[in-house]
Amino acid sequence: MEVLNQLVAGGQFRVVKEPLGFLKLLEWLFSIFAFATCGGFSGSLRLSIECAPPNRSAPITVAFGYPFRLHQVYFEAPSCGAGPPERVFLVGDHSSAAQFFVTVGVGSFLYAPAALGGYLFASQAYRAGGRGPRIDLGVTAALAFLWLVSSCAWAAALAEVKAATSPSGVLAQVGGCQRPGARCQALGAPRTSGLNTSVVFGFLNLVLWTGNLWFVFKETGWGGPGGPRPSPGGGSPKRPRPRKGGTAPPRGGTASPGGATGSPGGATSPTTARGATGDPRPRGGTAREPPPPSATRCRVLPSSRGRCAEEPPRAAPIGGGAWG
């Protein structure tokens, strides 16, 4: 009980809600229905053979079942003459197809809970990319193929079983029914609805095991990406290369020889002003003396390639005032 509580607390039972584990539960359940409806079948047919008076006959019951070795099933019918009763055998031996179908069902019944237990109790080892997912894929593919072969073989054998156990076909083999005055009729036919259900469950198992191949294949990692995903642009993003002696210039300005940063409008950015008046050490470089005040202005021109070009002071407007 403690182990179960630890599994629930650790979220191990979440695999049952995923297709990989949920399909294993369905495979286990449907395999039980498949081999149980076939391996547990038993049926019978009832016949009535009445000869001419004074010979009388009681109803005859012929029982058969799994593994459907019909050639070993027989009954005694009156000969409607002076001879002893006639022994009549059924026709056909379909044990190979029936036993093959049941064997595949039992194998699936045993493997499905074993694989589910591996998902629950050894999930880390199973998903580590080792041999576990590959073995699971191989066994799942083999069982899917075996379900295809066994279901087709059992469906064909079932059609022959129905023909061999039909009352009209069995009465045709009785020699006493061919004598004059004999009355032969069927009192009851075998019910083969359970055998029809076994064929349906066989093909349902085929669909389940074939569909589960995709989810098991995803765990092997063979179809997944082998490395990191590329960037949306098609290549790895490139970082700007810093200049020698300092960091990359901020966006919107260019470093000047004097340590100040100009903007296209002639104004000084807050970062440069703080570097000139506050801390004289620019980020990433050696200490420098603050530049002397100059009457000229620094302006970055397109033709100067980021360098500071001096501009003579403008004449004061009429009426005085500060620089514009």
Side-chain angles (χ1 to χ4, degrees):
M1 198 64 185
E2 183 179 355
V3 177
L4 182 62
N5 294 333
Q6 292 179 358
L7 291 175
V8 174
Q12 299 291 341
F13 282 99
R14 284 192 304 176
V15 70
V16 181
K17 300 180 181 179
E18 300 176 357
L20 184 64
F22 183 70
L23 285 178
K24 279 293 183 290
L25 285 178
L26 292 181
E27 291 165 357
W28 175 73
L29 185 64
F30 277 57
S31 63
I32 295 177
F33 293 150
F35 75 80
T37 51
C38 178
F41 176 81
S42 62
S44 63
L45 65 151
R46 297 183 63 197
L47 306 174
S48 174
I49 302 175
E50 297 182 359
C51 301
N55 296 328
R56 294 290 179 181
S57 174
I60 301 174
T61 302
V62 182
F64 64 97
Y66 178 84
F68 304 100
R69 293 188 177 96
L70 301 181
H71 66 287
Q72 298 178 359
V73 178
Y74 66 92
F75 64 96
E76 293 185 352
S79 60
C80 294
E86 179 184 5
R87 179 172 292 184
V88 181
F89 287 85
L90 299 183
V91 179
D93 182 10
H94 310 285
S95 58
S96 58
Q99 290 176 340
F100 181 39
F101 183 81
V102 172
T103 302
V104 174
V106 173
S108 301
F109 167 74
L110 296 177
Y111 177 73
L116 186 60
Y119 301 157
L120 294 175
F121 300 100
S123 59
Q124 298 297 333
Y126 182 86
R127 299 178 185 271
R131 293 185 299 177
R134 301 177 184 179
I135 295 175
D136 190 16
L137 178 63
V139 176
T140 303
L143 286 174
F145 176 75
L146 291 177
W147 274 116
L148 173 63
V149 176
S150 62
S151 299
C152 293
W154 171 232
L158 178 58
E160 297 180 1
V161 169
K162 291 180 180 180
T165 57
S166 63
S168 59
V170 174
L171 289 175
Q173 303 177 37
V174 180
C177 295
Q178 310 300 328
R179 296 182 179 273
R183 297 178 56 185
C184 302
Q185 59 182 353
L187 300 180
R191 297 181 179 180
T192 58
S193 57
L195 298 180
N196 297 334
T197 306
S198 66
V199 174
V200 173
F201 278 114
F203 284 103
L204 286 178
N205 277 282
L206 169 63
V207 173
L208 287 175
W209 287 89
T210 305
N212 198 21
L213 281 174
W214 167 247
F215 300 102
V216 179
F217 176 76
K218 290 171 60 178
E219 299 297 329
T220 59
W222 288 341
R229 296 182 179 180
S231 60
S236 58
K238 297 182 179 180
R239 298 182 178 179
R241 299 176 61 183
R243 296 189 178 184
K244 295 181 179 180
T247 58
R251 207 169 191 179
T254 309
S256 62
T261 306
S263 62
T268 308
S269 64
T271 307
T272 307
R274 184 171 60 251
T277 59
D279 188 5
R281 299 180 179 180
R283 186 177 299 175
T286 57
R288 297 183 180 179
E289 295 293 334
S294 175
T296 59
R297 297 182 61 182
C298 181
R299 185 176 183 183
V300 179
L301 299 178
S303 60
S304 62
R305 298 183 180 179
R307 297 181 180 180
C308 183
E310 295 184 356
E311 182 181 3
R314 301 180 183 177
I318 300 175
W323 276 50

